[in-house]
Amino acid sequence: MNGETAWALYENRLRRVSAYIHDHLDEELDMEKLAEIACMSSYHWHRIYRAIYGETLAATVKRLRRHRAAGDIVGTDLRVSEIAKRSGYPNLQSFNRIFKSVYGMPPARYRKEGSHAAFAPSPNGRIQAMFDITLRKIAPITLVGVAHTGSYMQIGRSFETLFGTLYARGLAQPEMRMIGVYLDDPDIVPADELRSIACVTADDIAVSEPPLQQTSVEGGEYAVLRHKGPYADMHKAYQWLYAEWLPKSGRQLRDSVMFEEYLNNPREVPPTELLTEIYMPLA
């Protein structure tokens, strides 16, 4: 078996394990079971996974469950006890403790006072939050990505596939920028039909094999909002951009897609420290 064939086997195994994790977050995910799906011994597989993704399998599962829980707290009326059970915690106290250690406050308080609360309308219907908007002119950006269909909160699944594939093919580069391209309006299109692409910048990568695809974002002028905080809170920032900033700016939208650039890594910083720049295309 040559090196290229061996890496192709790792690529397929990474994809299988990542898909299984995302499809079975509600279940008890046994680490030995995941090694079986990868068709490797637990001893070796866990080391390969950590070398590629920079975290253990167990850490990935816990991070994804916390991310989904934050989305449920912000975006649904589910009771916190239900969310805790769905996230695999044995009791509400354990969930409260872990959630507070990561998000800075317990889940019930986060539902009322998390960073998304800054975008809540006042009694007169106006949103009180104010953000600095930077106007930037950028050149076109060449991207390579993996398509995602479904809730934007779950685009991380395609980012997992993207980075696993890039590493397995020897294409990953430290200077790559992480970018998410969003093709539909989540207030209009059903969540399971939303289309997006998990991307990295790739000026010198020739893409010939799926699941990778070549794409790009247009150059031109953009209004850029820098958001600090969990990804679960960002939908409100979009609403503020459209409802508050755009009418007051006197600017017109350009018929092009919005995109996000992720300035740090959710594996390396807590959700409260995540930095994202939202790009709105202007005519």
Side-chain angles (χ1 to χ4, degrees), residues 116-129 236 240 244 248:
H116 60 282
F119 299 95
S122 65
N124 64 9
R126 308 299 290 176
I127 297 174
Q128 296 302 300
K236 298 292 186 181
W240 179 84
E244 301 288 334
K248 293 176 181 177

Side-chain angles (χ1 to χ4, degrees), residues 15 18 30 32 37 83-84 127-128 132 137 151 189 193 195 245 248 255 262 270:
R15 202 177 303 162
S18 179
D30 179 73
E32 296 296 328
I37 293 169
I83 296 171
I127 297 174
Q128 296 302 300
D132 288 331
K137 287 187 177 179
S151 168
V189 178
E193 298 177 15
R195 298 167 302 148
W245 182 83
K248 293 176 181 177
D255 187 15
Y262 310 103

Side-chain angles (χ1 to χ4, degrees), residues 63-122:
R63 177 174 54 80
L64 292 175
R65 284 176 171 169
R66 290 194 300 264
H67 170 68
R68 186 182 64 179
D72 287 342
I73 289 168
V74 172
T76 76
D77 294 324
L78 287 173
R79 291 182 299 172
V80 174
S81 58
E82 294 179 62
I83 296 171
K85 183 177 180 180
R86 187 183 182 211
S87 301
Y89 288 87
N91 53 63
L92 182 58
Q93 291 74 23
S94 296
F95 178 65
N96 284 345
R97 183 176 65 255
I98 296 298
F99 191 92
K100 181 179 179 181
S101 70
V102 174
Y103 285 85
M105 60 184 75
R109 182 180 164 199
Y110 182 79
R111 176 169 269 168
K112 297 178 180 178
E113 302 176 18
S115 53
H116 60 282
F119 299 95
S122 65

Side-chain angles (χ1 to χ4, degrees), residues 105-281:
M105 60 184 75
R109 182 180 164 199
Y110 182 79
R111 176 169 269 168
K112 297 178 180 178
E113 302 176 18
S115 53
H116 60 282
F119 299 95
S122 65
N124 64 9
R126 308 299 290 176
I127 297 174
Q128 296 302 300
M130 291 297 294
F131 289 86
D132 288 331
I133 300 294
T134 303
L135 299 182
R136 296 184 196 168
K137 287 187 177 179
I138 67 170
I141 304 174
T142 301
L143 304 168
V144 60
V146 172
H148 174 71
T149 301
S151 168
Y152 288 160
M153 279 288 289
Q154 303 306 319
I155 194 175
R157 177 176 187 157
S158 290
F159 272 111
E160 301 276 348
T161 299
L162 172 62
F163 282 105
T165 302
L166 291 172
Y167 275 100
R169 297 183 187 179
L171 299 174
Q173 301 170 9
E175 66 272 14
M176 286 175 164
R177 296 154 58 194
M178 288 177 58
I179 290 178
V181 178
Y182 298 92
L183 306 176
D184 297 307
D185 184 346
D187 290 328
I188 298 174
V189 178
D192 60 355
E193 298 177 15
L194 292 169
R195 298 167 302 148
S196 55
I197 313 173
C199 302
V200 292
T201 51
D203 290 329
D204 56 353
I205 293 180
V207 175
S208 58
E209 297 283 340
L212 302 181
Q213 65 180 59
Q214 202 93 35
T215 188
S216 63
V217 292
E218 293 182 0
E221 190 171 23
Y222 289 81
V224 183
L225 181 153
R226 178 171 287 201
H227 178 276
K228 182 179 180 180
Y231 298 143
D233 299 350
M234 288 176 54
H235 182 58
K236 298 292 186 181
Y238 276 83
Q239 291 178 334
W240 179 84
L241 266 172
Y242 278 98
E244 301 288 334
W245 182 83
L246 188 62
K248 293 176 181 177
S249 71
R251 300 299 300 267
Q252 298 294 316
L253 289 174
R254 176 160 39 97
D255 187 15
S256 184
V257 297
M258 296 186 72
F259 66 92
E260 298 171 2
E261 180 170 359
Y262 310 103
L263 304 182
N264 49 15
N265 192 326
R267 290 188 175 89
E268 298 172 355
V269 300
T272 51
E273 298 300 316
L274 289 170
L275 294 175
T276 307
E277 290 188 333
I278 302 171
Y279 282 73
M280 171 184 274

